[in-house]
Amino acid sequence: MSTVVRAHGLSKCYGTQRVVDGIDLAVHEGECFGLLGPNGAGKTTTLRMLLGMTPPNGGELTVLGYPIPEQARQMRHLLGVVPQQDDLDPEFSVVENLLTYASYFGLHGSEIGQRIEALLDFASLRQKASERIDALSGGMKRRLAMARALVNDPRLVILDEPTTGLDPQARQLIWQRLRALLNEGRTLILTTHYMDEAQRLCDRLAIMDRGRILDVGSPSELITRHIEPHVVEVHGEGVERWREQQNGHNLMRSELVGETLFCYTDRERELVESLCGHDGLQYLSRHATLEDVFLKLTGRDLRE
Amino acid sequence: MMPLLRSFIALRWIAVWQRNGRVWRKLAGPALLGNIGEPLLYLVALGFGLGALVGEVEGVDYLTFLASGFVCASVMNTASFEGIYSAYTCMAVQETWTAMLHTPLDVHDILIGEAMWAATKALLSALFIIIVAAFLGAVEGMLALAVLPVALLSGVTFAAMALVVTAVSRSYDFFLYYFTLLLTPMLLFSGVFFPVEGMPQWLQQLAQLLPLSHAIELVRPLMLGEIPQGIALHLLMLCGYGLLALLLAARLIQRRLHR
Ligand SMILES: Nc1ncnc2c1ncn2[C@@H]1O[C@H](COP(=O)(O)OP(=O)(O)O)[C@@H](O)[C@H]1O
Ligand SMILES: [Mg+2]
C-alpha cells in the first residue's frame, strides 16, 4: 500500500497565530481519510497546504510523490478538489462548467465528451445539463462540484466539508457517491465536523484542534482507545445526589454538562440498575460514539 | 520575468482566454453596445459638431483627427474595464481564479489569459471604430491595418495596469481612485481630443510619461497612411509599462491568493 500524502512537522502561521502547528500526516492509497475538528481547528488551512495553495512556514510535504508546493502543478494533474465554498461559473450551464474546467487541464472536445456524459450520470444531473447554475439546488451544486473535480480522472480527491449546509437527503446522496469513488480505487481526503459522516465514511481519521492533531485512527480504534464502551446519559430531579451516591462504587467516570450527566462506563448494566427507584431521573443508555471521543479530546467549550 | 515568459510560451493561458470568450459570447449584445456604441456616438457628434467650429487640426479635418484618438481611448477603456471589473469579479466574488488554481493553471497563466482577453476585446473595439471611421472618410490607406497590432499591445499594457489595481483592491469602490486619478487625466491630456502642443510645456512633458500618448503617436499617423516617427520609443514605452505592470500584478496576486 503506497502513501499518497506524507507530511512531517507541517506548520502555518498567520501573524502570531499558529494555525497549523507541526502536524504529521500519512494518507494511504485507496482510503478515505478524514480531518475532524471544530471550527477554526485548521482543517481548511491544512487542505490548502496539500493543494499547494498555501505555502507552509515549516515542515515537509509530499502529495502523490511530488514535493509541495514546489511541484504542485504536476501534482494537480492527478488531483480533484471540491472546495468548501461553491466556485462554479455562474454564467455557464452545467455542461459548460464541466467543459470549461476540463479545458484547464488541457482536455478538449471528443476526448472529454464521453467522460462528461458519465459525469452527468454520476452527479444525477442529466436532466439539468443545460440549466444555468442559479437554477440548481444546493445539493445539485455540490454534486456538480464533485463531478467537476473528476474531469481529469484524479487519483486523489480532496473535499472540504462536502455536506455542510445540505439537507439529510442530499447528504445521503453525496455519501453514496463518495463511496462509489472509493470503490473505483481513488483516495479521498475530506474535512468534516459531522460525527456521523466521519464514522460512516472514513477508514481513518485525524482529530484536529487548535492546529494540532490529537489522535489518528479508525473510528472504532479511536473509540476503544479513548472512551469506555457505554454511555448513560442521566437527567432529572436529583441527578447530582445520585452522582454523589455513586462515588466510591467505581462504576463510572462522569461529567455534568448543563442538566445532563454523562456517565462513561464498561459496567453499564450495574449502572442502569442503580438508577432504578430514582423516580425523578430519566436516562438513555447507548454505545459510545465518535462524538464522545471528540468531545473528550477537544473539550466542550463553544467555538465560533 | 522568467515564470511569466515560460507561462506565455506554454500557452496554458489560452484556456483562461477561451473561458472569458465563452462568457462574453453570452453577454455580447449589451457588452458590444457599451464598448463600441458609446465611442461611436461621441465620435460622430463631436467630429461633426465640434469639427464645424474647429475646422482643420494638424492638417486634417477634426473628425479624422478625433477618430485616431478615439481608437486609442477605446482600447484603453475596454482593456481597463475588463482588467478591473471582470477580473475583480472573477477573483474576489465568483472565486473563478481559485477554481483555476486547483487545476494545473497558476497565477501567471491566469494573469496572461486575462490580459490577452482584455487586449482581444480592446482590439475588437479598435477594429470597429476603424471600420466606421473608414466609412466616414477618416482613414487613409491600408497602413491603417497596422493599427491593429498596436491596439493589441496597448490593450495588454492597459489591462496589465488595471490588473495591478485589481490585485490590491478590497471592493469595487476602490476602482474610482484609478479612474479619477489615472484614466481620466490620461484621456484628457494624451491628445485624444486636441493636440498636446497647445498645452503648457510642463504639461506636455508630463503627458509624454503616459502610455496613452505613445499609443496615439503610433496610431494617428498610421490611420492617415503615414509611418509614425520614433516608433522604437513608443513601442518601448508601451512594452515597458505593460511588462512592469504584469510583473507587479503577478507578485501581488500571488501574495493575495497564495497566502
Ligand atoms: N488568510 C488568513 N489570514 C489570517 N488568518 C487566517 C487565514 N486563514 C485562516 N485563518 C485563521 O486560521 C484558523 C484556522 O482556519 P481554518 O483552517 O479555516 O479552520 P477550519 O477549516 O478548521 O474551520 C482560524 O482561526 C482562521 O481565522
Ligand atoms: Mg474550513
Side-chain angles (χ1 to χ4, degrees), chain A residues 19 33-47 84 160-161 164 190-199 202 205-215 222 290-291 293-295 297-299 301-304:
Chain A
V19 172
F33 187 88
L35 281 175
L36 181 64
N39 269 337
K43 305 182 294 295
T44 298
T45 306
T46 303
L47 291 192
Q84 188 169 356
D160 198 357
E161 304 200 9
T164 297
L190 56 87
T191 70
T192 184
H193 53 249
Y194 293 124
M195 304 301 148
D196 53 343
E197 185 161 286
Q199 193 148 10
C202 297
L205 47 97
I207 296 185
M208 200 170 177
D209 194 23
R210 300 177 209 280
R212 289 172 179 274
I213 288 181
L214 304 177
D215 200 6
L222 290 171
L290 204 50
E291 181 153 358
V293 178
F294 183 80
L295 289 172
L297 293 181
T298 63
D301 50 324
L302 196 60
R303 311 294 168 79
E304 269 151 343

Side-chain angles (χ1 to χ4, degrees), chain A residues 12 14 48 51-55 73 76-77 81 83 85 87-92 96 99-101 103-105 108 148, chain B residues 7 12 15-16 18-20 22-23 26-27 94-106 109 256-259:
Chain A
K12 180 70 192 178
Y14 287 117
R48 283 177 55 91
L51 305 177
M53 287 293 284
T54 291
R73 184 207 296 285
R76 287 199 295 253
H77 274 287
V81 181
Q85 275 175 310
D87 57 3
L88 301 164
D89 233 315
E91 322 284 359
F92 290 151
E96 286 168 329
L99 281 171
T100 303
Y101 203 71
S103 75
Y104 302 154
F105 289 87
H108 294 283
R148 195 184 62 167
Chain B
S7 163
R12 281 180 301 261
V16 178
Q18 279 174 331
R19 180 256 165 207
N20 288 349
R22 229 174 267 159
V23 173
K26 307 218 159 218
L27 316 162
Q94 297 177 0
E95 308 258 348
T96 316
W97 290 4
T98 315
M100 290 173 175
L101 291 174
H102 290 157
T103 74
L105 300 177
D106 68 11
D109 302 325
R256 178 166 182 157
L257 297 182
H258 288 297
R259 69 206 130 83

